[in-house]
Amino acid sequence: MRAFLANQWKLIAFLVVIALWLSLFPIWSRWVTANPLDEAITLAPRGAINREIRVVIPEHYDLNLVFERANIPFEELKTLLGDWAYKDGKPIPSGMRVPIRWILKTVSSGSVVASGEIDSFGTITWSSTEVYRQVGHLRVAPGRYIFSAEILGDVPELAHIKTRLSMELHPKASSTWQITFAFWGSIANFFLVWPAAVIIVLMLLWRAFLIFHSKGNAANDTPRADTPGE
């Protein structure tokens, strides 16, 4: 076994490097792409948020109200939440309005770095489980901040829909090397790194099989000493 490991040390070392990459890259990728904010908020009675957040990279972020679809029929949701239709280049108001005010301050000095107030309507994205309504857009330097938000008026029509306020990376406006690296690294993992790991493991298993098989044949071919009396 020691001789086999010594002879195959290059492949084994390469496999160890790949294993470390496959273990550490997802952790790093989730860290840089994680939402700085994802907090439940009530619309009736009107709720508020005040919490410390951490921004890891200086990217563009969308501030969204996220509504859970649950088992609510699509047509009902569309009536309550609206859509994102345009006329003459301007959005057409639709759905129940949700007035909201938000502000972002630095932890160290308390200075305001971003804020907004909007009587929000419509939606921008639908998935199988959630509906998104954008209420703000910002870009700030990495650091720790105090995020505060409040719903400015009760919206009883939406009280039965679970709602969160999230601060998420803007998918089409990324500009940092971290996001580019996370994107292409994920693709490389799927098409290159995982296949390379599988190939190396198969090569090591095949070489081990050949070596031990040849040793077994050699042992079987070794002439046995004649026993006395034969």
Side-chain angles (χ1 to χ4, degrees):
M1 177 62 71
R2 290 183 178 180
F4 173 78
L5 295 177
N7 291 332
Q8 307 299 325
W9 71 268
K10 291 183 180 180
L11 280 179
I12 295 172
F14 193 27
L15 186 61
V16 169
V17 171
I18 289 178
L20 288 174
W21 168 266
L22 291 174
S23 300
L24 298 178
F25 176 79
I27 297 174
W28 174 86
S29 180
R30 286 193 296 268
W31 178 65
V32 299
T33 59
N35 296 338
L37 175 75
D38 192 7
E39 194 83 7
I41 191 167
T42 58
L43 304 181
R46 60 193 184 99
I49 294 173
N50 186 65
R51 60 165 297 181
E52 182 177 322
I53 67 172
R54 182 181 181 185
V55 176
V56 178
I57 53 177
E59 269 293 356
H60 297 273
Y61 292 90
D62 289 332
L63 192 62
N64 297 318
L65 284 170
V66 183
F67 307 96
E68 293 188 15
R69 296 186 63 170
N71 295 319
I72 304 174
F74 171 77
E75 290 301 328
E76 180 183 347
L77 278 175
K78 187 175 180 181
T79 300
L80 291 173
L81 302 179
D83 53 24
W84 203 241
Y86 281 81
K87 183 178 181 180
D88 299 328
K90 296 180 180 180
I92 302 173
S94 61
M96 301 304 305
R97 292 176 179 267
V98 178
I100 182 173
R101 179 192 298 129
W102 60 273
I103 187 170
L104 191 68
K105 300 179 180 180
T106 59
V107 170
S108 57
S109 64
S111 59
V112 177
V113 295
S115 63
E117 181 175 331
I118 182 174
D119 191 16
S120 68
F121 61 84
T123 57
I124 57 170
T125 304
W126 290 66
S127 73
S128 60
T129 58
E130 297 172 329
V131 184
Y132 290 75
R133 173 182 291 184
Q134 188 178 99
V135 296
H137 184 77
L138 64 157
R139 181 174 182 174
V140 293
R144 294 188 177 276
Y145 298 89
I146 299 296
F147 179 88
S148 302
E150 60 177 326
I151 305 299
L152 301 179
D154 289 348
V155 189
E157 296 85 353
L158 303 181
H160 64 294
I161 302 179
K162 291 184 178 180
T163 308
R164 307 191 318 275
L165 189 60
S166 70
M167 180 177 166
E168 307 179 18
L169 286 166
H170 188 78
K172 296 182 180 180
S174 60
S175 59
T176 57
W177 68 266
Q178 292 95 329
I179 298 302
T180 302
F181 189 66
F183 174 76
W184 288 109
S186 299
I187 293 177
N189 279 354
F190 184 80
F191 289 103
L192 296 176
V193 182
W194 274 109
V198 172
I199 291 172
I200 292 174
V201 169
L202 292 177
M203 289 177 63
L204 289 172
L205 291 175
W206 177 247
R207 291 182 181 183
F209 170 77
L210 292 178
I211 290 174
F212 290 109
H213 183 68
S214 63
K215 287 184 176 180
N217 290 338
N220 292 333
D221 293 340
T222 301
R224 291 179 299 172
D226 293 337
T227 58
E230 292 186 351

